[in-house]
Amino acid sequence: MSEPSLKPDRAPVPAATPTLSFNPVRFDVPGRIAPLELRVTAPATGEALPILLLSHGHGASNYLSSSRGYAPLVDFYAAHGFVVIQPTHQDSKTLALDPTGPEGPLFWRSRARDMHFILDHLDAIEAAVPFLAGRLAKDRVVAVGHSLGGHTVCLLAGMRMTDADGHLVDLTEPRLKAAVVFGGPGDGKDVAAWAAENYPDLKNNDFSTMTLPMLVVAGDKDFHPFFSERQDWRADAYRLGPAPKTLLTVFGAEHLYGGISGYDAKEATDEDPQRLADMQRLSWAYLRSALDPQDAAWAAVVEELTKADKPVAAVESK
């Protein structure tokens, strides 16, 4: 393996700590076809822990696109101070719900409402998980999403959509402090014909009202012409969203960013342990500094990127 691009002796990442995971936490939610199931993963010790909501993608896999997936991110975030809450959204293939129903196949509205429900019921989640009592910083909440999960997080961050009936939908979640989006959908105005036919709701994304601070992660090889003919489509949340936003363009990254959705996952066409490690540390550092402006983690990592002989990514902010 190549020499790490963020040197362990300089990167502002503390040593990993032991974690605990509890699964499932189950709720019957009015209007939801299936019960809402959550996995909660947290540091084994520590108090006043910030909360991270993680939204999985819509991908082709059966289990990675559920609360069972994204272990590379979940393990890292929890081992470095976050309580990670993962829902299984209703588009997950593990549930085998009718993809032709009123919300199918993306269940985009339900996905965002899952996150609202979680934040409305943090006390119940805390009571259900044996190791959480009194340890949550309920006013320090961030969100991370990949692919369709990025779309969900953008909705929570203030992106608006027009539904099939012509109604403007606003699912903004004001309790969020910051977000990270990996490879989220872009602008719908020039979405490709295949996506327009199969996922028509993606035609209606409006980033102009998305005001939450956000790190938009876009791979320079995360290009799929059946979604858009533009190679920068995955960067639209940065390009079209108002400040404050930061764009992280990852060199050589395809849609799985080194393997964020699962260890040794066949769907990771760009599997790369070093790229994955960079994605873990960079996204963690951004969230740390977003929650605490006195925390220099993000500034230190960006400085390393700019000084590296062969930088793994480029950073742009507004």
Side-chain angles (χ1 to χ4, degrees):
M1 187 172 66
S2 61
E3 187 71 13
S5 51
L6 294 178
K7 296 180 177 60
D9 60 337
R10 293 190 60 200
V13 180
T17 63
T19 64
L20 298 168
S21 187
F22 192 85
N23 176 61
V25 180
R26 184 179 290 111
F27 294 96
D28 290 318
V29 179
R32 209 176 188 273
I33 302 170
L36 174 61
E37 291 193 350
L38 312 173
R39 177 187 295 272
V40 180
T41 308
T45 60
E47 307 296 328
L49 300 170
I51 298 164
L52 189 154
L53 306 182
L54 194 148
S55 183
H56 64 73
H58 180 65
S61 61
N62 289 316
Y63 296 101
L64 295 180
S65 295
S66 75
S67 62
R68 297 174 177 89
Y70 291 83
L73 292 183
V74 174
D75 291 349
F76 188 90
Y77 295 148
H80 294 91
F82 285 93
V83 174
V84 183
I85 303 178
Q86 298 172 260
T88 294
H89 297 301
Q90 292 193 112
D91 65 295
S92 173
K93 290 180 174 57
T94 61
L95 301 178
L97 300 182
D98 182 3
T100 64
E103 271 212 274
L106 300 183
F107 287 88
W108 59 269
R109 195 189 311 250
S110 167
R111 281 172 145 266
R113 287 176 172 169
D114 287 346
M115 301 309 206
H116 293 301
F117 183 92
I118 290 168
L119 294 181
D120 288 342
H121 294 82
L122 286 177
D123 289 345
I125 294 169
E126 185 178 26
V129 178
F131 48 80
L132 272 192
R135 302 179 64 210
L136 296 177
K138 297 174 185 175
D139 60 342
R140 302 175 70 214
V141 183
V142 297
V144 174
H146 171 240
S147 196
L148 183 60
H151 184 271
T152 301
V153 170
C154 284
L155 282 169
L156 300 175
M159 182 184 78
R160 294 182 182 175
M161 294 181 63
T162 303
D163 66 17
D165 296 323
H167 299 131
L168 186 65
V169 179
D170 182 356
L171 293 165
T172 305
E173 176 47 75
R175 287 168 287 192
L176 289 186
K177 304 301 183 185
V180 174
V181 167
F182 288 94
D187 188 26
K189 294 182 177 60
D190 61 353
V191 73
W194 182 91
E197 179 181 354
N198 290 275
Y199 302 129
D201 292 317
L202 294 183
K203 297 187 295 183
N204 301 314
N205 302 330
D206 178 5
F207 296 105
S208 66
T209 54
M210 192 177 69
T211 57
L212 191 74
M214 179 183 290
L215 176 66
V216 179
V217 184
D220 66 358
K221 295 188 182 304
D222 188 359
F223 169 62
H224 301 275
F226 44 84
F227 280 113
S228 175
E229 296 293 335
R230 283 192 294 112
Q231 294 196 354
D232 63 349
W233 191 64
R234 300 287 183 185
D236 283 356
Y238 172 80
R239 187 173 62 86
L240 301 175
K245 298 287 182 293
T246 297
L247 175 64
L248 183 72
T249 302
V250 186
F251 304 139
E254 299 179 22
H255 195 52
L256 272 296
Y257 295 86
I260 62 173
S261 67
Y263 296 113
D264 294 325
K266 289 183 179 179
E267 67 182 41
T269 57
D270 66 337
E271 185 173 35
D272 183 330
Q274 185 55 56
R275 180 175 296 129
L276 173 59
D278 291 335
M279 295 304 95
Q280 291 168 326
R281 288 179 284 184
L282 287 161
S283 59
W284 171 87
Y286 176 85
L287 293 171
R288 284 271 303 203
S289 296
L291 285 174
D292 179 6
Q294 302 305 311
D295 190 314
W298 176 244
V301 170
V302 170
E303 182 181 6
E304 287 219 19
L305 282 177
T306 59
K307 292 182 176 180
D309 294 334
K310 294 182 179 179
V312 300
V315 177
E316 178 182 342
S317 294
K318 63 180 181 180

